[in-house]
């Protein structure tokens, strides 16, 4: 090592030498070469090497925040307020077509009418603000807390409506679609902020009230006032305004006309809205006390274009579109859709004519037994298409669809389902310790009043008595085969067969054939003879499988939907094998035997290759005829009920008939008349 000499002049000691040695730095143990980011961290061992320091955490957080801020600035700058309204802001009709493509009904135009804000009473305006956005006049077009709540709900799959201010909802109404996703929500927020700077609050509020959907086909509060209360918006009181504010949350959930659950929700929301008006100082407590009775809206008026059977057809087609596509009720009410239905006009007309002819002797004005008579009927093709429907006398007089009701028991017309279940399940019945396979030729006791048996002994009812079979007219048939019992409509053996096959298996076969689970009867012996309540549509659809080798397709009423020339996705049913061809063939043979020389022989002259069965109930509250001709399956039901309570009344004496006349006489006559008119088609 070489030392350096210093003359030492500065210390006043000339000639003295100072030696300075260069310093040598000792390397630190474990130290790595210098890096821009010390990660994994040097000089640390184990897990501590991978734990970032607070400086590193701040660096990452700052970088992320800067990137997010930059992206938000970019998104804000590049998101412009659209120049044009969205396509749904225009008024159009919905057009329904028959199956052959000819026009059936044109519904609309969309019920929309703008009204200046000063024509809306101030209490009505504040009812809307109290329910939807009480801070509207002070917020910047958005609500930070509301957005946070909406994000949480969106992530968890909830409804995001609660996170929107009136400005945001107005933006969604006129510029954007109703989709609920992050991209659309961010666009809504940015446009709302910009729109709040560009327009006055009064302009935004007026636009919101004139473009919002209130249900019943109404866009805007002016047409909503007419639809629900039959008056101009300027005539609404605070109570009525509070109700209209309630349906803004969703008319499908809050229109009382739809059902009792809707009415309950609407009344609760109405009361809450009035209370909120008091809380924010826009309604005095004294005035609030005046509004204690729910302002019941009037019934929804029917369009004149829906007279006769058309209204029933349109209702069914619309319901199918809304449940089998992504089109919401609000979008549907905006119009512009073309709906091609499955209905065939000649058959619809023929069915209506057959009902008129078959009920010609009914005189409700002079015969008590004829009051409240209802007739429902439907024709379904083997592939599930509903080609004809009879819902009632006239849609404008009775909106309730008799062909689609699920409150009327099907009675003994259900027994072919029991027969199919027994043959399909390979049932073995137990008698005296022996188990015997059931076939079409298996014999049963066909006498009236026979004890219904289980493997353990007689079946005891809830009334503490043994349940007994009951044949029509209390007739006893002696020993009879199952096929003959079905052909002759002998109820006793089929009731016992239901017990032998297992009532749960009968229910399964019924659902396989398209009977809705909600319309299935209780698991008691009466299930075998029809305590279930399928609609005429579902009954016809189930029988169609017997003619189609056991293949079943759920009924449907719409072939396709389009808008602005583009066909929209529609979920149509597909065929499933509900029964084996052999079992379906056995049921088909028995139903054809019924027409040839059994209980249905009165319809034999209605056409070739007919199969069918009449149906009655033990309490005489319904009469049925269900059958097919190879092309179509048709079900006709008659019942008496006051639509105010839907309590079923007895059919005894209907049309002046004698007490021993079958309750299936009228539906059988209608079915036969209809088949005569259509079998040559």
């Amino acid at each position: 090592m070489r030392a350096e000499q210093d003359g030492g002049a500065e210390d006043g000691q000339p000639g003295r030498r100072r030696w300075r040695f260069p310093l040598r730095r000792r390397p630190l143990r474990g130290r790595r070469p210098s890096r821009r980011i010390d990660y994994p961290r040097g000089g640390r061992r184990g897990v501590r090497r991978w734990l970032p320091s607070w400086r590193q955490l701040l660096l990452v957080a700052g970088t992320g925040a800067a990137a997010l801020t930059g992206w938000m600035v970019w998104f804000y700058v590049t998101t412009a307020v659209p120049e044009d309204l969205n396509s749904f802001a225009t008024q159009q009709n919905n057009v329904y077509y028959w199956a052959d493509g000819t026009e059936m009904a044109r519904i609309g135009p969309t019920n929309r009418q703008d009204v200046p804000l000063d024509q809306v009473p101030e209490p009505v305006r504040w009812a809307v603000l109290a329910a939807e956005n009480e801070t509207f006049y002070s917020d910047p077009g958005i609500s930070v807390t509301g957005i946070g709540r909406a994000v949480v709900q969106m992530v968890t799959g909830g409804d995001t409506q609660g996170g929107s201010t009136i400005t945001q909802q107005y933006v969604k109404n006129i510029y954007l679609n109703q989709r609920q996703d992050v991209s659309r929500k961010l666009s809504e927020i940015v446009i709302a902020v910009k729109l709040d700077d560009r327009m006055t609050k009064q302009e935004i509020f007026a636009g919101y009230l004139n473009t919002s959907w209130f249900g019943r086909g109404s866009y805007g509060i002016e047409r909503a006032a007419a639809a629900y209360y039959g008056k101009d918006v300027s005539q609404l009181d605070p109570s009525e305004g509070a109700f209209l504010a309630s349906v803004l949350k969703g008319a499908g959930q809050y229109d009382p006309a739809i059902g009792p659950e809707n009415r309950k929700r609407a009344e609760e929301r109405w009361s809450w809205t009035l209370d909120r008006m008091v809380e924010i100082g826009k309604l005095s407590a004294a005035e609030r006390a005046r509004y204690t009775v729910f302002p019941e809206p009037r019934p929804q008026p029917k369009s004149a274009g829906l007279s006769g059977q058309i209204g029933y057809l349109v209702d069914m087609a619309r319901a199918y579109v809304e449940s089998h596509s992504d089109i919401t009720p609000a979008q549907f009410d905006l119009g512009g859709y073309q709906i091609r239905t499955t209905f065939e006009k000649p058959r619809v007309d023929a069915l209506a004519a057959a009902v008129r002819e078959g009920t010609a002797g009914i005189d409700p004005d002079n015969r008590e037994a004829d009051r409240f008579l209802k007739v429902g009927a439907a024709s379904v093709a083997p592939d599930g298409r509903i080609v004809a429907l009879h819902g009632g006398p006239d849609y404008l007089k009775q909106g309730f669809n008799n062909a689609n009701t699920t409150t009327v028991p099907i009675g003994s017309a259900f027994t072919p389902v029991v027969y199919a279940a027994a043959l399909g399940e390979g049932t073995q019945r137990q008698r005296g310790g022996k188990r015997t396979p059931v076939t079409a030729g298996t014999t049963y006791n066909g006498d009236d009043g026979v004890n219904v048996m289980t493997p353990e002994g007689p079946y005891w009812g809830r009334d503490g008595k043994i349940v007994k079979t009951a044949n029509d007219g209390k007739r006893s048939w002696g020993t009879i085969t199952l096929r003959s019992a079905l052909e002759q409509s002998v109820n006793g053996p089929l009731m016992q067969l239901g017990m032998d096959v297992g009532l749960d298996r009968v229910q399964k076969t019924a659902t396989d054939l398209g009977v809705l689970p909600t319309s299935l009867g209780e698991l008691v012996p009466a299930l075998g003879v029809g305590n279930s309540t399928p609609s005429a549509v579902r009954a016809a659809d189930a029988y169609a499988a017997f003619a189609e080798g056991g293949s079943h397709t759920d009924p449907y009423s719409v072939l396709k939907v389009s808008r602005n020339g583009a066909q929209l996705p529609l979920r149509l049913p597909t065929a499933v094998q509900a029964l084996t061809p052999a079992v379906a063939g056995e049921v088909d043979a028995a139903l054809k035997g019924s027409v040839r020389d059994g209980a249905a022989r009165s319809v034999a002259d209605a056409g070739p290759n007919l199969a069918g069965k009449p149906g009655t109930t033990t309490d005489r509250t319904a009469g049925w005829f269900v059958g097919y001709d190879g092309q179509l399956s048709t079900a006709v039901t008659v019942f008496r009920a006051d639509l105010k309570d839907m309590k079923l009344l007895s059919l005894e004496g209907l049309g002046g008939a004698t007490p021993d006349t079958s309750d299936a006489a009228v539906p059988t006559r209608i079915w036969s008349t209809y088949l005569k008119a259509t079998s040559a088609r």
Side-chain angles (χ1 to χ4, degrees):
M1 181 183 298
R2 183 176 181 183
E4 297 180 1
Q5 285 189 346
D6 190 339
E10 294 180 2
D11 58 10
Q13 299 181 17
R16 183 176 177 179
R17 294 183 177 179
R18 296 180 61 193
W19 297 93
R20 183 173 295 168
F21 295 90
L23 297 177
R24 295 182 60 188
R25 295 184 178 180
R26 297 172 61 189
L28 297 175
R29 291 184 180 180
R31 181 162 182 164
R32 294 184 177 181
S34 175
R35 295 179 298 174
R36 291 180 180 273
I37 300 177
D38 183 22
Y39 191 84
R41 299 171 67 191
R44 303 290 191 277
R45 295 182 180 276
V47 176
R48 296 182 64 192
R49 294 185 63 218
W50 303 98
L51 294 177
S53 67
W54 65 270
R55 292 186 180 86
Q56 291 171 333
L57 290 174
L58 286 177
L59 177 63
V60 171
T63 303
L68 180 61
T69 301
W71 180 85
M72 291 177 66
V73 170
W74 172 85
F75 189 84
Y76 183 87
V77 171
T78 58
T79 301
V81 177
E83 296 296 330
D84 299 322
L85 304 181
N86 65 38
S87 59
F88 287 128
T90 58
Q91 178 176 297
Q92 300 182 65
N93 289 327
N94 286 324
V95 185
Y96 294 81
Y97 298 91
W98 295 102
D100 64 2
T102 57
E103 186 174 313
M104 180 173 74
R106 184 177 291 268
I107 308 303
T110 300
N111 203 0
R112 187 199 308 275
Q113 181 180 341
D114 287 354
V115 60
L117 189 61
D118 58 11
Q119 290 187 21
V120 181
E122 187 174 358
V124 175
R125 282 180 264 163
W126 275 107
V128 173
L129 292 172
E132 294 292 309
N133 182 194
E134 65 185 65
T135 62
F136 168 71
Y137 284 107
S138 60
D139 66 39
I142 61 173
S143 167
V144 176
T145 57
I147 291 171
R149 184 169 61 252
V151 170
V152 172
Q153 290 175 333
M154 190 182 302
V155 171
T156 58
D159 180 19
T160 63
Q161 181 68 24
S164 297
T165 63
I166 278 180
T167 307
Q168 289 174 257
Q169 293 181 52
Y170 176 55
V171 167
K172 185 167 56 178
N173 287 346
I174 66 169
Y175 294 127
L176 305 174
N177 55 47
Q178 302 295 317
R179 192 178 68 249
Q180 297 288 358
D181 57 33
V182 175
S183 175
R184 210 256 331 130
K185 194 71 178 178
L186 289 174
S187 296
E188 172 192 302
I189 292 169
V190 171
I191 296 174
V193 172
K194 292 186 175 183
L195 205 66
D196 193 72
D197 287 335
R198 182 179 301 183
M199 298 174 64
T200 67
K201 289 289 188 179
Q202 296 293 83
E203 290 172 333
I204 292 173
F205 193 25
Y208 169 75
L209 290 177
N210 284 320
T211 58
S212 292
W213 181 64
F214 287 82
R216 297 193 177 186
S218 301
Y219 280 82
I221 197 166
E222 170 66 16
R223 301 316 303 157
Y228 287 97
Y229 293 110
K231 59 177 67 174
D232 187 86
V233 66
S234 62
Q235 300 172 317
L236 293 177
D237 62 33
S239 179
E240 293 164 337
F243 167 74
L244 292 183
S246 300
V247 295
L248 280 170
K249 192 170 178 64
Q253 297 291 315
Y254 291 88
D255 184 351
I258 296 177
E261 290 299 319
N262 274 38
R263 193 188 188 286
K264 180 181 178 182
R265 281 190 290 265
E267 190 166 354
E268 291 174 351
R269 181 77 175 175
W270 160 79
S271 180
W272 174 86
T273 300
L274 289 173
D275 290 340
R276 287 293 299 154
M277 292 177 68
V278 174
E279 291 178 20
I280 64 177
K282 298 303 177 180
L283 187 69
S284 69
E287 191 171 10
R288 170 66 178 91
R290 291 172 48 194
Y291 304 119
T292 58
V293 178
F294 181 66
E296 198 71 47
R298 68 175 186 170
Q300 184 171 359
K302 303 291 194 305
S303 169
L306 301 179
S307 61
Q309 298 302 305
I310 299 299
Y312 303 115
L313 307 181
V314 166
D315 271 2
M316 180 165 282
R318 172 172 178 152
Y320 192 85
V321 170
E322 291 180 356
S323 61
H324 291 79
S325 74
D326 296 327
I327 302 170
T328 67
Q331 291 172 331
F332 206 86
D333 276 349
L334 285 161
Y337 294 95
Q338 295 80 47
I339 302 95
R340 181 81 167 266
T341 73
T342 60
F343 304 120
E344 299 177 8
K345 188 177 188 304
R347 295 189 186 276
V348 171
D349 292 343
L351 188 54
V355 171
R356 288 193 297 271
E357 183 176 338
T359 57
I362 304 300
D363 186 7
D365 294 330
N366 299 302
R367 189 182 294 122
E368 180 66 25
D370 292 354
R371 294 186 64 204
F372 305 122
L373 180 66
K374 304 289 182 285
V375 180
S379 283
V380 180
D383 62 0
R385 288 176 296 115
I386 307 171
V387 301
L389 190 78
H390 184 85
D394 189 315
Y395 182 77
L396 298 184
K397 297 177 181 178
Q398 177 196 299
F400 181 82
N401 188 344
N402 298 332
N404 209 30
T405 180
T406 56
T407 60
V408 181
I410 190 172
S412 53
F414 187 76
T415 53
V417 177
V418 181
Y419 188 57
L423 299 179
E425 294 289 341
T427 305
Q428 292 182 321
R429 61 177 180 143
Q430 187 172 350
R431 294 289 185 273
K434 296 181 180 180
R435 298 181 65 81
T436 308
V438 170
T439 67
T442 298
T443 58
Y444 272 71
N445 187 341
D447 288 343
D448 184 66
V450 175
N451 291 346
V452 175
M453 303 296 291
T454 71
E456 292 77 27
Y459 184 95
W460 293 84
R462 295 173 182 172
D463 59 359
K465 299 178 181 179
I466 295 176
V467 176
K468 298 179 180 295
T469 62
N471 295 333
D472 284 346
K474 299 187 180 301
R475 179 180 175 181
S476 291
W477 294 75
T479 301
I480 189 172
T481 66
L482 287 175
R483 177 170 173 172
S484 294
L486 186 60
E487 291 176 344
Q488 302 298 332
S489 196
V490 184
N491 294 338
L494 277 304
M495 177 183 278
Q496 182 60 58
L497 181 63
M499 300 297 293
D500 293 342
V501 68
L503 299 178
D504 57 337
R505 294 180 178 181
V506 173
Q507 283 192 335
K508 180 182 182 301
T509 300
T511 55
D512 289 345
L513 291 170
V515 176
L516 297 176
T518 53
S519 66
L520 287 173
E522 290 185 272
L523 290 174
V524 295
L527 177 70
V529 288
N531 66 358
S532 298
T533 57
S535 65
V537 172
R538 290 285 173 170
D541 184 57
Y543 269 60
F546 302 143
E548 194 67 3
S551 176
H552 168 260
T553 306
D554 278 339
Y556 62 101
S557 56
V558 178
L559 295 169
K560 65 179 181 179
V561 181
S562 58
R563 193 174 195 278
N564 297 329
Q567 187 167 332
L568 304 177
L570 183 69
R571 297 182 289 275
L572 296 177
T574 56
V576 296
Q577 197 68 32
L579 304 172
T580 66
V583 169
E586 287 285 359
V587 180
D588 177 64
L591 293 175
K592 286 179 177 175
S594 180
V595 173
R596 186 172 55 251
D597 54 13
R601 55 186 174 274
S602 64
V603 306
D605 63 345
N609 301 315
L610 299 182
K613 189 181 185 311
T616 58
T617 62
T618 55
D619 61 0
R620 306 201 64 177
T621 56
W624 288 76
F625 195 94
V626 190
Y628 49 86
D629 65 352
Q631 294 180 310
L632 295 175
S633 176
T634 301
V636 181
T637 180
V638 299
F639 58 97
R640 292 177 60 225
D642 187 343
L643 295 181
K644 293 179 180 178
D645 57 16
M646 279 306 296
K647 181 180 179 180
L648 297 179
L649 306 172
S650 174
L651 291 175
E652 186 174 356
L654 179 67
T658 59
D660 59 344
T661 301
S662 172
D663 295 331
V666 172
T668 300
R669 188 161 61 243
I670 294 171
W671 192 93
S672 179
T673 301
Y674 173 64
L675 264 292
K676 287 178 182 178
T678 59
S679 59
R681 295 184 186 280

